Coordinates of all heavy atoms in Angstrom, one line a residue:
V1 N 10.7 15.6 40.5 CA 9.8 16.1 41.6 C 10.6 15.9 42.9 O 10.6 16.9 43.7 CB 8.5 15.3 41.6 CG1 7.6 15.7 42.8 CG2 7.8 15.4 40.3
N2 N 11.2 14.8 43.1 CA 12.0 14.5 44.3 C 12.9 13.3 44.0 O 13.0 12.9 42.9 CB 11.1 14.3 45.6 CG 10.0 13.2 45.3 OD1 10.3 12.2 44.7 ND2 8.8 13.5 45.7
D3 N 13.5 12.8 45.0 CA 14.4 11.7 44.8 C 13.7 10.4 44.4 O 14.4 9.4 44.0 CB 15.3 11.4 46.0 CG 16.3 12.5 46.3 OD1 16.6 13.2 45.3 OD2 16.8 12.6 47.5
T4 N 12.4 10.4 44.5 CA 11.6 9.2 44.2 C 10.9 9.3 42.9 O 10.8 8.3 42.1 CB 10.6 8.9 45.3 OG1 11.2 8.8 46.6 CG2 9.8 7.7 45.0
V5 N 10.4 10.4 42.5 CA 9.6 10.6 41.3 C 10.1 11.6 40.3 O 10.6 12.7 40.7 CB 8.1 11.0 41.8 CG1 7.2 11.2 40.5 CG2 7.5 10.1 42.7
A6 N 10.1 11.2 39.0 CA 10.4 12.1 37.9 C 9.4 12.0 36.9 O 8.8 10.9 36.6 CB 11.8 11.8 37.4
L7 N 9.0 13.1 36.3 CA 8.0 13.1 35.2 C 8.6 13.6 33.9 O 9.6 14.4 33.9 CB 6.8 14.0 35.6 CG 6.2 13.7 37.0 CD1 5.1 14.7 37.3 CD2 5.5 12.3 37.0
G8 N 8.0 13.2 32.8 CA 8.5 13.6 31.5 C 7.4 13.8 30.5 O 6.3 13.1 30.6
A9 N 7.6 14.6 29.5 CA 6.6 14.8 28.4 C 7.3 15.3 27.2 O 8.4 15.8 27.2 CB 5.5 15.8 28.9
G10 N 6.7 15.0 26.0 CA 7.2 15.5 24.8 C 6.1 15.6 23.7 O 5.0 15.2 23.9
V11 N 6.4 16.4 22.7 CA 5.5 16.5 21.6 C 6.2 16.0 20.3 O 7.4 15.9 20.2 CB 5.1 18.0 21.3 CG1 4.3 18.5 22.5 CG2 6.4 18.9 21.1
S12 N 5.4 15.5 19.4 CA 5.9 14.8 18.2 C 5.4 15.5 16.9 O 4.2 15.7 16.8 CB 5.5 13.3 18.2 OG 6.2 12.6 19.1
L13 N 6.3 15.7 16.0 CA 6.0 16.1 14.6 C 6.4 14.9 13.8 O 7.6 14.6 13.7 CB 6.7 17.3 14.3 CG 6.4 17.9 12.9 CD1 6.6 19.5 12.9 CD2 7.3 17.3 11.8
Q14 N 5.5 14.2 13.1 CA 5.8 13.0 12.4 C 5.4 13.1 10.9 O 4.3 13.4 10.6 CB 4.9 11.8 13.0 CG 5.2 10.5 12.4 CD 4.6 9.3 13.2 OE1 5.2 8.9 14.2 NE2 3.4 8.9 12.7
Y15 N 6.4 12.8 10.1 CA 6.3 12.8 8.7 C 6.1 11.4 8.2 O 6.8 10.5 8.7 CB 7.5 13.4 8.0 CG 7.5 13.3 6.5 CD1 6.8 14.1 5.6 CD2 8.3 12.3 5.9 CE1 6.8 13.9 4.3 CE2 8.3 12.1 4.5 CZ 7.6 12.9 3.7 OH 7.6 12.8 2.3
I16 N 5.2 11.1 7.3 CA 5.0 9.8 6.8 C 4.9 9.8 5.3 O 4.4 10.7 4.7 CB 3.6 9.2 7.3 CG1 3.5 7.7 6.9 CG2 2.4 10.0 6.9 CD1 2.3 7.0 7.6
N17 N 5.6 8.8 4.7 CA 5.6 8.7 3.2 C 5.4 7.3 2.8 O 6.0 6.4 3.4 CB 7.0 9.2 2.7 CG 7.1 9.1 1.2 OD1 6.4 9.7 0.4 ND2 8.0 8.2 0.7
G18 N 4.5 7.1 1.8 CA 4.2 5.7 1.4 C 4.2 5.6 -0.1 O 3.9 6.5 -0.9
Q19 N 4.6 4.4 -0.5 CA 4.7 4.1 -2.0 C 4.3 2.6 -2.1 O 4.9 1.7 -1.6 CB 6.1 4.3 -2.5 CG 6.2 3.8 -4.0 CD 7.7 4.0 -4.5 OE1 8.4 4.8 -4.0 NE2 8.0 3.2 -5.5
I20 N 3.2 2.3 -2.8 CA 2.6 1.0 -3.0 C 2.3 0.7 -4.4 O 1.7 1.6 -5.1 CB 1.3 0.8 -2.1 CG1 1.5 1.4 -0.7 CG2 0.9 -0.6 -2.2 CD1 2.4 0.6 0.1
S21 N 2.7 -0.5 -4.9 CA 2.3 -0.9 -6.2 C 1.8 -2.3 -6.3 O 2.1 -3.1 -5.4 CB 3.5 -0.7 -7.2 OG 4.5 -1.6 -6.8
K22 N 1.0 -2.6 -7.3 CA 0.4 -3.9 -7.5 C 0.0 -4.1 -8.9 O -0.1 -3.1 -9.7 CB -0.9 -4.1 -6.6 CG -2.0 -3.2 -7.0 CD -3.2 -3.5 -6.1 CE -3.9 -4.8 -6.5 NZ -4.6 -4.7 -7.7
A23 N 0.0 -5.3 -9.4 CA -0.4 -5.6 -10.7 C -2.0 -5.6 -10.8 O -2.7 -5.9 -9.8 CB 0.1 -7.0 -11.2
L24 N -2.5 -5.3 -12.0 CA -4.0 -5.3 -12.2 C -4.3 -6.3 -13.3 O -3.7 -6.4 -14.3 CB -4.4 -3.9 -12.7 CG -4.1 -2.7 -11.8 CD1 -4.6 -1.4 -12.5 CD2 -4.8 -2.9 -10.5
D25 N -5.3 -7.1 -12.9 CA -5.7 -8.2 -13.8 C -6.7 -7.7 -14.9 O -7.9 -7.9 -14.9 CB -6.4 -9.3 -13.0 CG -6.8 -10.5 -13.9 OD1 -6.4 -10.6 -15.0 OD2 -7.7 -11.3 -13.4
L26 N -6.1 -6.9 -15.8 CA -6.9 -6.3 -16.9 C -7.5 -7.3 -17.9 O -8.5 -7.1 -18.5 CB -6.1 -5.2 -17.6 CG -5.6 -4.1 -16.7 CD1 -4.9 -3.0 -17.5 CD2 -6.7 -3.5 -15.9
G27 N -6.8 -8.4 -18.0 CA -7.3 -9.5 -18.9 C -8.6 -10.0 -18.5 O -9.5 -10.2 -19.3
T28 N -8.9 -10.2 -17.1 CA -10.2 -10.6 -16.7 C -11.2 -9.5 -17.0 O -12.4 -9.9 -17.3 CB -10.1 -10.9 -15.2 OG1 -9.3 -12.1 -15.0 CG2 -11.5 -11.3 -14.6
A29 N -10.9 -8.3 -16.9 CA -11.8 -7.2 -17.1 C -12.4 -7.2 -18.5 O -13.4 -6.6 -18.8 CB -11.2 -5.9 -16.8
T30 N -11.6 -7.8 -19.5 CA -12.1 -7.8 -20.9 C -13.2 -8.8 -21.1 O -13.8 -8.8 -22.1 CB -10.9 -8.1 -21.8 OG1 -10.5 -9.5 -21.6 CG2 -9.8 -7.2 -21.6
R31 N -13.4 -9.7 -20.1 CA -14.4 -10.7 -20.2 C -14.1 -11.8 -21.2 O -15.0 -12.6 -21.6 CB -15.8 -10.1 -20.4 CG -16.2 -9.1 -19.4 CD -17.6 -8.5 -19.7 NE -18.6 -9.5 -19.6 CZ -19.9 -9.4 -20.0 NH1 -20.3 -8.3 -20.6 NH2 -20.8 -10.4 -19.8
N32 N -12.9 -11.8 -21.7 CA -12.5 -12.8 -22.6 C -11.7 -13.9 -21.8 O -10.6 -13.6 -21.3 CB -11.5 -12.2 -23.7 CG -11.1 -13.2 -24.8 OD1 -11.2 -14.4 -24.5 ND2 -10.8 -12.7 -25.9
P33 N -12.3 -15.1 -21.7 CA -11.6 -16.1 -20.8 C -10.2 -16.4 -21.2 O -9.4 -16.8 -20.3 CB -12.5 -17.3 -21.0 CG -13.8 -16.8 -21.4 CD -13.5 -15.6 -22.2
A34 N -9.8 -16.2 -22.5 CA -8.4 -16.5 -22.9 C -7.4 -15.5 -22.3 O -6.2 -15.7 -22.2 CB -8.3 -16.4 -24.4
F35 N -7.9 -14.3 -21.8 CA -7.1 -13.3 -21.3 C -7.0 -13.3 -19.7 O -6.2 -12.6 -19.1 CB -7.6 -11.9 -21.7 CG -7.5 -11.6 -23.2 CD1 -8.1 -10.5 -23.7 CD2 -6.8 -12.5 -24.0 CE1 -8.0 -10.3 -25.1 CE2 -6.7 -12.3 -25.4 CZ -7.3 -11.2 -25.9
F36 N -7.9 -14.1 -19.1 CA -8.0 -14.1 -17.6 C -6.7 -14.5 -17.0 O -6.1 -15.5 -17.2 CB -9.1 -15.1 -17.1 CG -10.5 -14.7 -17.5 CD1 -10.8 -13.5 -18.2 CD2 -11.6 -15.5 -17.1 CE1 -12.1 -13.2 -18.5 CE2 -12.9 -15.1 -17.4 CZ -13.1 -14.0 -18.1
G37 N -6.2 -13.6 -16.1 CA -4.9 -13.9 -15.4 C -3.7 -14.0 -16.3 O -2.7 -14.5 -15.8
N38 N -3.8 -13.5 -17.5 CA -2.7 -13.6 -18.4 C -1.7 -12.4 -18.2 O -2.1 -11.3 -18.3 CB -3.2 -13.6 -19.9 CG -2.1 -13.8 -20.9 OD1 -0.9 -13.5 -20.7 ND2 -2.5 -14.3 -22.1
P39 N -0.5 -12.7 -17.8 CA 0.4 -11.6 -17.4 C 0.7 -10.6 -18.6 O 1.1 -9.5 -18.4 CB 1.7 -12.3 -17.0 CG 1.6 -13.7 -17.6 CD 0.1 -14.0 -17.6
A40 N 0.4 -11.1 -19.8 CA 0.6 -10.2 -21.0 C -0.4 -9.1 -21.0 O -0.2 -8.0 -21.7 CB 0.5 -11.0 -22.3
F41 N -1.5 -9.3 -20.3 CA -2.5 -8.2 -20.2 C -2.6 -7.6 -18.8 O -3.7 -7.0 -18.5 CB -3.9 -8.8 -20.6 CG -3.9 -9.3 -22.0 CD1 -3.7 -10.7 -22.3 CD2 -4.0 -8.5 -23.1 CE1 -3.7 -11.2 -23.6 CE2 -4.0 -8.9 -24.4 CZ -3.8 -10.3 -24.7
D42 N -1.6 -7.8 -18.0 CA -1.6 -7.1 -16.7 C -1.3 -5.7 -16.8 O -0.4 -5.2 -17.6 CB -0.5 -7.8 -15.8 CG -0.9 -9.1 -15.3 OD1 -2.1 -9.5 -15.4 OD2 0.0 -9.8 -14.6
G43 N -2.0 -4.9 -16.0 CA -1.6 -3.5 -15.9 C -0.9 -3.3 -14.5 O -0.5 -4.3 -13.9
E44 N -0.7 -2.1 -14.1 CA -0.1 -1.9 -12.8 C -0.6 -0.5 -12.2 O -0.9 0.4 -13.0 CB 1.4 -1.8 -12.9 CG 2.1 -1.6 -11.6 CD 3.6 -1.7 -11.7 OE1 4.1 -2.4 -12.6 OE2 4.3 -0.9 -11.0

């Protein structure tokens, strides 16, 4: 604008990509206490 003030602006095009995984406690879902939290019965 002058020697004291300058202004600026921009526009953004933003790409986003996500990848998330977790284990599932399928042993607990069977309602068999022997399977609760057992990694052999984990899904993902």
Side-chain angles (χ1 to χ4, degrees):
V1 179
N2 51 45
D3 290 339
T4 301
V5 180
L7 305 176
V11 295
S12 287
L13 183 152
Q14 182 169 280
Y15 171 81
I16 185 171
N17 178 65
Q19 175 184 336
I20 312 295
S21 65
K22 65 180 287 286
L24 301 178
D25 181 16
L26 301 185
T28 294
T30 66
R31 303 180 65 193
N32 184 338
F35 295 167
F36 290 3
N38 187 333
F41 298 99
D42 282 354
E44 185 176 321

